[in-house]
Amino acid sequence: MKLIKQLAMLFGLAGFFILIDIFLFNIFTSRYIDRRSAEMKGQSIEVSKFLPFDEGSQLFHADSEIKIDENIPVLDGAAALLPVFSSVAEALYPEESILFDGNEYADGSSLRYTNTRGSYKALVDGDADIIFCAKPSEEQLQYAKDAGKEFVMVPVGYEAFVFIVGKDNPVTDLSAEEIRGIYTGKYTNWSQLGGEDAPIDAVQRNKGSGSQTTFLGFMGDEKPVKKLYGTLFGKAIGFSFRYYVDGINKNPDVKMLSVGGYYPDAENIANGNYPLSSCFYAIYLKDNENPNIQSVIDFCLSEKGQEIVEKSGYIPL
Amino acid sequence: MKDKVFYRVLGIVTCLGILSMLLLLAFTVYLYKDCSIISYIANRG
């Protein structure tokens, strides 16, 4: 009898830990697993796939009659815009000015890639001359101000800021006010918005990222809040740029929402019907005296430059 | 089973249980660092 009790305790204890692990896996671990196939993961931004002067590159290859051989402005920018500014570099710069060590761009290269936060810092610190990004965050503007620098922002193309949900979520359209209501806690259950009875997990990104900055601009004076219950058990809504969702990082298990009745397709973005379309910019410092900065900007706004924007998956001006 | 053996086995099962939880949490943190907002929403439905 004693042995049976002892075995029951041991198996009970082991079962307890197994149940805890299953609970932890289902509630936390499983939500962070990237379930895309290896082929789809390969569509994510990898610098080596967008190398200028590389035959196997996925870049759109544009020609330019203008070539910049000296005082070459260093280009940098956001991940999603790498195909654009890499293509611009290929069109304007000599091949030997772009230094890639197999994993990343080397010191002294006229093309760099440090993503949104890194490139804004590089611009202010003088490590980059022109960056391709969405609007700067308050912190990035303050960083420039503290350094006595001022940004000049030139719109180069249109992109749409999109809200995304799981593909099985029956909600397909929300108004801008409803979305703000989700993030301020006014709406906490999808059933309040025509969906199923499930808490809303309103996801945000890390501070300083391009999409988080755009999101905070979208929220205006309204402060987003985080609901723990929705985080643990809810169905999610989040945001990104259209190019990430529908282009390089396409995931069939998410869908973009229409906003105010307009779906973020190329037509609705170009004609302005989709309310959350916004520009992305070529940004440089006002006191940068490199004479070729204007040449790069002029090229971006030219027919060839706008063709790069379009062929890279964005909406030209 | 002698008490001494039983408590030793009980201790081992407890240690393995705690270790499995810690490994799972570490794996979760590892996945969290690489997970995009798009993958996260695809997983949550």
Side-chain angles (χ1 to χ4, degrees), chain A residues 2 6 10 13 17 21 29-35 164-166 201 203 231-234 236 238-239 253-254, chain B residues 1 3 6 9-10 13-14 17-18 20-21 24 27-28 31-32 35-45:
Chain A
K2 185 184 173 189
Q6 288 174 331
L10 289 173
L13 185 64
F17 280 117
D21 285 348
T29 311
S30 64
R31 65 178 67 174
Y32 299 118
I33 296 173
D34 190 341
R35 298 175 197 277
I164 52 177
V165 295
D201 177 12
V203 185
T231 304
L232 289 177
F233 303 108
F239 49 79
D253 294 324
V254 300
Chain B
M1 196 186 307
D3 281 354
F6 170 69
V9 175
L10 199 66
V13 170
T14 304
I18 292 171
S20 69
M21 283 168 54
L24 189 60
F27 182 54
T28 304
L31 291 175
Y32 171 79
C35 185
S36 71
I37 193 170
I38 297 169
S39 291
Y40 178 86
I41 289 168
N43 291 338
R44 298 305 306 274

Side-chain angles (χ1 to χ4, degrees), chain A residues 103-122:
Chain A
N103 287 313
E104 57 188 357
Y105 289 106
D107 290 343
S109 174
S110 57
L111 180 62
R112 296 159 43 104
Y113 160 60
T114 58
N115 217 337
T116 300
R117 283 184 292 179
S119 58
Y120 268 108
K121 184 175 185 305

Side-chain angles (χ1 to χ4, degrees), chain A residues 1-16, chain B residues 1-3 5-7 9-10 13:
Chain A
M1 191 63 190
K2 185 184 173 189
L3 180 64
I4 292 174
K5 276 187 178 176
Q6 288 174 331
L7 289 174
M9 280 186 73
L10 289 173
F11 281 110
L13 185 64
F16 169 75
Chain B
M1 196 186 307
K2 287 182 181 174
D3 281 354
V5 175
F6 170 69
Y7 286 122
V9 175
L10 199 66
V13 170

Side-chain angles (χ1 to χ4, degrees), chain A residues 73-262:
Chain A
V74 176
L75 306 185
D76 199 344
L81 292 168
L82 180 64
V84 175
F85 61 88
S86 284
S87 207
V88 169
E90 183 183 75
L92 296 178
Y93 293 178
E95 185 171 355
E96 59 273 18
S97 73
I98 295 166
L99 311 174
F100 187 72
D101 67 8
N103 287 313
E104 57 188 357
Y105 289 106
D107 290 343
S109 174
S110 57
L111 180 62
R112 296 159 43 104
Y113 160 60
T114 58
N115 217 337
T116 300
R117 283 184 292 179
S119 58
Y120 268 108
K121 184 175 185 305
L123 184 64
V124 174
D125 293 348
D127 296 326
D129 293 302
I130 305 174
I131 63 171
F132 291 74
C133 288
K135 283 182 182 174
S137 66
E138 289 297 323
E139 288 78 11
Q140 285 150 355
L141 285 170
Q142 189 61 46
Y143 186 71
K145 192 177 175 186
D146 290 346
K149 305 292 182 184
E150 188 179 341
F151 295 138
V152 179
M153 300 170 52
V154 181
V156 170
Y158 287 111
E159 170 59 317
F161 186 62
V162 298
F163 286 88
I164 52 177
V165 295
K167 72 172 181 358
D168 295 327
N169 191 323
V171 174
T172 57
D173 178 78
L174 292 171
S175 69
E177 285 312 309
E178 285 173 329
I179 295 170
R180 289 191 189 96
I182 287 173
Y183 279 94
T184 55
K186 181 180 177 185
Y187 302 109
T188 56
N189 194 296
W190 284 107
S191 62
Q192 296 171 283
L193 299 162
E196 58 190 305
D197 183 14
I200 300 175
D201 177 12
V203 185
Q204 297 180 50
R205 285 206 60 210
N206 49 325
K207 203 174 175 182
S209 71
S211 54
Q212 182 69 13
T213 302
T214 306
F215 165 71
L216 292 175
F218 164 77
M219 291 298 290
D221 295 331
E222 300 191 62
K223 193 172 173 59
V225 295
K226 195 79 179 159
K227 296 280 183 185
L228 181 63
Y229 183 65
T231 304
L232 289 177
F233 303 108
K235 288 188 175 294
I237 180 172
F239 49 79
S240 188
F241 289 106
R242 173 179 172 268
Y243 186 68
Y244 269 126
V245 181
D246 206 35
I248 50 174
N249 214 14
K250 192 164 186 170
N251 188 319
D253 294 324
V254 300
K255 66 180 181 186
M256 298 187 289
L257 294 175
S258 299
V259 178
Y262 290 102

